[in-house]
Amino acid sequence: MADIPMQGDTITIESAARDGCNLLNDLCLMTEGSKPQFLPTATLSQEFGLELIESMIANHADTVASHPEHVNILRLRLMPLLIRIISEPANFPATVRAMRVLPIIFGSLLNVLATECEMALSLLNHLLDPDAAASWKRTLCMEVFRNLYAEPLLIRSIYAHFDEQDGQKNIIADNMATLVRIIAEKPSLVGLGQQSSIPLPSQIKDSSGEQLALQADSVAGSIGIGIVTKSLSAPGLSSQWSIMRVPCLEQLDKLEPPSIPSTYIYSLALSCLNSFSDGLARFILPFTMAADPRSRRKQHTVSDLDDAEDGDLTQDLGFLTNGRREVNSKIQSSQYPKLPVNPLSLIDHVLYSQICTSAQMIDTCWPALLAACSTFFKAALDSEHYHSLVRSFQKFTQVAGLLRLSTPRDAFLTTLGKNAVPPAVIPTHTAAVSSTTSLDKKQAQRRTSGIQAGESNYGSSLKRPLETPQQSTELGATKINIRNLLCLRALLNLAIALGPVLEGAWSIILETLQQADLVITQMNFHRRQKSGNTMTKPERLMDSGDVNEFEAEITAVETAAARMLESSCDLPKSAFLKMVTSFSKLLRDIQEDSHITADGPQDAAVSSIPGFHSHRRSSSVFIGISSPALEQRRNAFVLENLSRLAELNLPRLLQNEPGESGWTVITDIFLSVIGRQALVEDLRLHAAGAISNLVQATGTSAIPIDRKDEVRRQGLDTLEKVIDALYNSDDSENKAIQSCETEIHRLSLEALRSALEQYGNTLVLGWDCVFTIIGSVFVMPNVVDGKDTTAVVGSKLPSDVRARPSRLLRSSFGSLQLVCSDFLSVVPQSSIPILLRAVHSFCAQKQDFNISLTSTTLFWNLSDHIWQGTQESSQCSDGNNSGDGLTVATDRGKLLEEKSKTELWLTLLNALVETTTDSRVDIRHSALHTLFRVLHSSGATLNPRKWMTYLELVVSRMLSANESEYQVIDSRHQTDQASVRQNWNESAILMLDGVARLWEQHLKSIISCSSFADLWEELMAQFQAFIDRRALDVSTSVFSTMTRILTEVGNVKESFTVSIKSAWEIWQNSNPVEHKDISFQSRNDNQSALMAYLQLLKAMYAFIEDDIDLNKVQLILDQLRVCAEGLGSNIYYKDMDTMTPVQTKILEIVSSVRVNVLGTSAAIIDTVAFFANMAHERDVDNTKRGGLTYVAMSKAAMDLLGKFILDNIHDQDLCHSSAISRAIGTLATSARLKYQWHSTGKEPLIWKKATTISVDILNAFLPTFREISSEGKLDTSFWKEVLALFDGIVSAECNTPMASQDISMDQDFDIAAFGDIRDLLNTFLGLDYISDQVRRTYAETIFRNSIVHEPHPDDLAEPGHDLLDGLISIHIGRTQDLPPSPRAKLSYVLLDELFDLVAMHDSSIERVKMAQAAAPFLILRAGVVLKAYILDQPLRGLMPQPISQKREMLYILDKLINLDSEPTAILDTPGVNSEHKKHLHRLYSLIVKALRAARRDERMQEALTSIIEAVGEDFDVYDKYHRD
């Protein structure tokens, strides 16, 4: 053991330790040149001694530190030696070796040699001054400090021992200040300029792409452009000449200082800065992730700047969004990462003191570090140095941010931003942008058309460059380059890493990004403008690879920007709000209109820094810049990235309250843009598209259940605010809606539709917003404050519902259809009135016909929904009969609800009623169909009281409204009034048909109404109003409606207590014959109207037949006559063989009239006779025009006439009336004119029908009349009609064109008819009360029609002369052959009848009178034939008499011979006594003359001779009587 003195004290050590101590002491002595005290005398060079000391301390530092005696020797011997060697101008070898020992001592023995280390470190800092030491010694000092900074723990220890201690020197701070001075002492050596460049010494050829790119930067218009140094020969910093291959500290073999590059010391300074930043980052960063292991995976760190991602450079779009990658936007957890741990808050951590030391060191050194880095940022550095600079700058900024040191953080961010977009770049580009004009209108239109075609990404329209046909002024040489992009990428990476703690510093990053967007966009624009020009020589240096490098860097920046936005998903709530607010502060020209302020207070710490200005570049850079194009690009940047931010953070926005999630801030920004009409349309469209996307995102199924309804409500409310921002602004009311606003409106409507498609079936809140948005397409709003102020019973829309453009209508209507078809079940009752109003408005608008037409059908769905709810409420109310108080209150509430739904239903019906007055016919008709469909579907469940209400307020109002519109046609329409009237008539027809169906299906409920009588009278009055239009189609519908109602009433006749008088008055005063067919005026086809009119009579007759009188019967018959006469023709229907329906119905009604009233039968017979004669009353020209012939009707009427008379033949009143006489006269007319009309029809012909019926009537009537008549007399008028009938039977005009081809058959028919009435007539005409004139007429008719050959006119007596005077006249005979009568057979029959009338029968008075009447005509008949023979035969000479004439003459001569006439039928001839041959005596002279003329005709002579002989016999008797 040995005692060793040490600093005034003595310590005891072991012998071995003492030896070691002595050895170390001798080594130090020999090194400084003294004699050793322990070792034998020896010589040791200083260099070798230093090397031995270095080796010993380096290898046994712990041993030395553990022995105070060793430390004491170092303090007393070594440290003074080292300081002396370093401070004195010693040789290079000793200085190098001394410098090598110091770092070892600093690292191992700082705690025990603090004072000595302080002196050494201070000396090193001092030697770094330019005037303090030689350059090589300064270099050695810098290499020492470089080694020190490479040891972060050592640096912290040094700072803790000295800088932090009061009274101690600031070693680290002073060193940083020294570095700043070193870097700035010779600017030319580092190539200091306005911004960083590549060092390009003339003797060195650097072929790197970046060098070539920067070399080309000096030429305007190139791609990668930067500021070069003032002298191209300036060396700058480069790994090729600014770094020694072997550091000076390692050159132990050198006796003289080596050649040191002039920029080597600057490279060492940069290395110190890099090591310092890297050491801080390595120590601090792990503490920020220690608290939450899960957050370790999400914590962002500064990425390696060399790892640039590939991407395509878009040439004409904003660079920040065109390379953006899509991220998965699926819903994440609502728990967002917390703020990164502040290491200063880890008080209990074992390294807390070092953490505090690091923070203090940063706070102290950051100004110097910032100044040093700022100088390097403007120096000429190669890529390696520049990347290391940016990397260290990044790390220091990140550490400051994580330690919540806002002042250094903001200062470094601002510096990095200025280097990303240098201030020198902005003015030039700003001038270029400012000189441009607004977007070309055609391009704007193309963008709008692209949007209409379905572009969903509205950001694409924002990314177009500020193009203009006017060229800007020539750009300056200062432009952005690759290194600027590198700084920008570093800034973005810092934003990613520090996002949660950036707070207001977001403005620095985002504004820098905004300026970069503006500059690069403009660069691309001008590069395209010059792409067609010949490249200058420097530009040719940029081969395709160099261009690709620049573009790749831009792509990397784009990627970083996208990642920055994506990282917002991991931001805590407060940090996200800060980011969003920072975005909002970048907006220009709308901040004064928005509650979002752009000017926030600057950070006080930053503002207080000497020479440091706010990151908002305003004072000098933006003076005079107010170009609209520039502001557009800036605002476009904000909107595009803000919308992307919202897209990425949808989970956050949807899962939290809008105020704390950022929803309110983001949407308010977009709304401010939308409401600013001064902004260009692209910006406003983008804002609208962003809001639409947000609203559509509210339909995701992953939103928490408790937030789902509120989130959807806030989305719909935002859409409503969009529309309010469009049309509620001050300047929107004074001008027409622009296409931009229309498109924004359309986007909102499409977003609403998309939202409804997603969650309409589950929507609970926000229906008032839905209908407000839907109704926003109308200029006059239907909704005020979410309530429909006009949806009440009886309310009406304005007469002209003005809608916005059609594409808005279609978009809005799509949502309305969705609601009405799929989501009515979830629409609250309070919103139904607004919905009804919206549907009604779509019906009433005039811009889109299809929408109006479809809207009417939506009422059907609404009705089902409302009525179903009403029924359910009613059933619940009926089923709950409990009597407790709670139940009573519940029932009262249900009754109120039912009442409300009933009012809603009535409102719906009234809306349909209003739609039935629409000016468009198809809309009216669709509304009518829907209205009646609604009433029918629910009518079965309506009680009488409700039916009364709906009939009064709906049906009656509907009919009155139609009539009112019809009455004002003349005043509203100056032209085409007929067409308009027809359209309204068609609507009236649909109404009437619907009314009829209502009454048919629900009559029992309707007639049970308490005020049914009033309803009935009002209905009849409305029917009368429709008939007063005098339009056939309307009248037809009215009659049909009344018929259907009365027919149905007939089934419940016992319950129908209302008078039918009003209906009867309508019928009797409304014959449609006088009405017009508006649509078919040329045809005048009123058959449908008449048919309906007659059917109404038939239906009504059931109600009046019990108390019918003759006046009503006569009125009915008269109207039937009017109907028959006024029946219009139908070119598609001929009534020659088949009656028209109207004609059939007329006869049907006539046959059904009751005859129990006196005079009814006669009236009916007269009417039927009138119908039977109508075929002959029609004008011939009318038939030629294609009118009705009434042939079939006349035939049917004849059948009906005959049947009616025969059925009522025993009616004395009928028999004593003249009705039968008139009927026979009518039939006689038809029989007489058999060959004189144009239309006859099929068999039996009308004259045959008339003949048959009349014969049947006579055969039945005359005997019956004799039986029932007391007097048995028929007046002369009757017999005149009978004789007319007889004449019609036996006569015929065979020479007319219409004569039948088969006259023989007609002749046989007439012969048979004559045979049927021959005996009857002969019997009754012989009665004594019959005048002789009647019988004479009868005989004359027989005479006239018995003539076979037409006699000479002179042979017949003229009127007023004696009948036989013509027989004595003389005229010239005829030789031509006279044709026999076409009806010769009938003539012979009548000739026989004539002989028979004169012939002797029973000598009764009747027979005698008939013989007396016929005898003259018999004599004339025979005399005409004889006289013709007498005069004609001589003229013929040898020609024989025509056969037919000869046969007739022989037939007559034979009949004369055989005739035994009635003795008293012919007056006696003077001197002749003959009883039955008096007729021969009257013809004797003619017979004698005829005999002379027949001298050549033996047969004729024989016949004539026979007559003479017969006459002679009478003379013999006469002579004998006188002889006796």
Side-chain angles (χ1 to χ4, degrees), residues 549-612:
E549 182 181 355
F550 183 76
E551 294 181 349
E553 188 62 36
I554 289 185
T555 302
V557 172
E558 295 171 355
T559 304
R563 288 177 55 240
M564 182 192 71
L565 295 179
E566 294 168 10
S567 69
S568 64
C569 299
D570 298 329
L571 294 180
K573 296 178 181 178
S574 59
F576 179 75
L577 284 177
K578 290 288 185 180
M579 183 179 184
V580 173
T581 304
S582 298
F583 264 118
S584 69
K585 294 178 180 179
L586 299 179
L587 287 174
R588 309 285 180 135
D589 290 343
I590 62 171
Q591 296 164 358
E592 62 273 13
D593 296 336
S594 173
H595 66 277
I596 304 173
T597 60
D599 297 329
Q602 297 181 8
D603 191 289
V606 177
S607 300
S608 64
I609 302 173
F612 180 79

Side-chain angles (χ1 to χ4, degrees), residues 1053-1080:
K1053 190 174 182 181
E1054 63 281 357
S1055 303
F1056 190 77
T1057 58
V1058 180
S1059 173
I1060 203 71
K1061 180 180 179 181
S1062 56
W1064 171 257
E1065 290 176 353
I1066 290 177
W1067 184 86
Q1068 70 178 7
N1069 298 322
S1070 305
N1071 196 306
V1073 169
E1074 299 178 358
H1075 299 178
K1076 297 179 180 180
D1077 187 352
I1078 297 178
S1079 58
F1080 302 101

Side-chain angles (χ1 to χ4, degrees), residues 281-540:
R282 291 179 182 276
F283 177 68
I284 294 297
L285 291 182
F287 294 107
T288 64
M289 299 180 286
D292 187 1
R294 292 176 300 174
S295 65
R296 187 182 302 271
R297 294 188 301 270
K298 295 184 178 180
Q299 180 66 42
H300 295 283
T301 59
V302 178
S303 61
D304 189 353
L305 296 180
D306 292 328
D307 298 333
E309 297 184 15
D310 295 333
D312 295 329
L313 176 62
T314 302
Q315 298 195 10
D316 60 345
L317 303 181
F319 81 98
L320 288 178
T321 54
N322 54 358
R324 182 172 57 202
R325 298 171 298 172
E326 293 296 329
V327 296
N328 187 4
S329 58
K330 62 182 180 180
I331 297 296
Q332 301 175 2
S333 172
S334 61
Q335 299 298 325
Y336 293 95
K338 299 179 181 180
L339 291 173
V341 176
N342 185 352
L344 294 175
S345 64
L346 303 177
I347 301 177
D348 298 330
H349 199 283
V350 66
L351 297 178
Y352 178 72
S353 60
Q354 292 197 35
I355 295 174
C356 293
T357 298
S358 298
Q360 184 64 29
M361 185 167 49
I362 293 173
D363 192 53
T364 302
C365 299
W366 75 263
L369 184 62
L370 178 62
C373 291
S374 297
T375 303
F376 277 125
F377 272 123
K378 297 180 181 180
L381 306 178
D382 64 0
S383 297
E384 180 180 350
H385 286 85
Y386 195 83
H387 278 73
S388 63
L389 172 65
V390 174
R391 187 181 298 108
S392 63
F393 202 82
Q394 252 186 325
K395 293 177 180 179
F396 189 87
T397 307
Q398 184 178 14
V399 171
L402 293 175
L403 290 172
R404 310 305 192 267
L405 302 177
S406 59
T407 300
R409 177 201 66 194
D410 293 351
F412 275 69
L413 289 176
T414 302
T415 302
L416 195 58
K418 289 182 178 180
N419 285 281
V421 185
V425 176
I426 301 174
T428 302
H429 287 282
T430 301
V433 176
S434 301
S435 65
T436 60
T437 60
S438 60
L439 291 173
D440 186 81
K441 294 182 178 180
K442 293 183 180 180
Q443 294 174 353
Q445 292 175 357
R446 287 196 297 269
R447 285 198 297 273
T448 303
S449 64
I451 292 171
Q452 295 172 355
E455 292 184 5
S456 60
N457 186 4
Y458 284 85
S460 62
S461 63
L462 298 177
K463 294 177 286 187
R464 290 179 172 83
L466 305 177
E467 299 181 9
T468 175
Q470 300 179 2
Q471 302 299 326
S472 65
T473 58
E474 182 66 25
L475 296 176
T478 304
K479 296 182 181 179
I480 202 168
N481 59 28
I482 293 178
R483 291 193 171 175
N484 298 134
L485 297 179
L486 187 66
C487 292
L488 180 59
R489 184 147 58 98
L491 187 66
L492 296 176
N493 288 332
L494 281 172
I496 297 172
L498 298 178
V501 295
L502 276 178
E503 298 180 344
W506 274 111
S507 299
I508 303 172
I509 298 170
L510 297 180
E511 186 178 2
T512 303
L513 205 55
Q514 184 185 47
Q515 297 300 333
D517 171 74
L518 179 65
V519 172
I520 293 180
T521 300
Q522 191 64 12
M523 284 176 56
N524 291 336
F525 169 62
H526 286 288
R527 191 182 69 182
R528 290 197 313 275
Q529 285 185 328
K530 296 185 178 182
S531 60
N533 300 335
T534 303
M535 296 177 60
T536 61
K537 184 177 181 179
E539 286 177 304
R540 294 191 182 98

Side-chain angles (χ1 to χ4, degrees), residues 56 168-169 188 212 634 656 667 855 888 928 1059 1150 1186 1262:
M56 179 191 67
Q168 301 292 329
K169 291 185 178 181
S188 59
L212 295 178
R634 288 172 172 169
N656 299 279
T667 56
S855 297
V888 171
L928 286 172
S1059 173
V1150 171
L1262 290 177

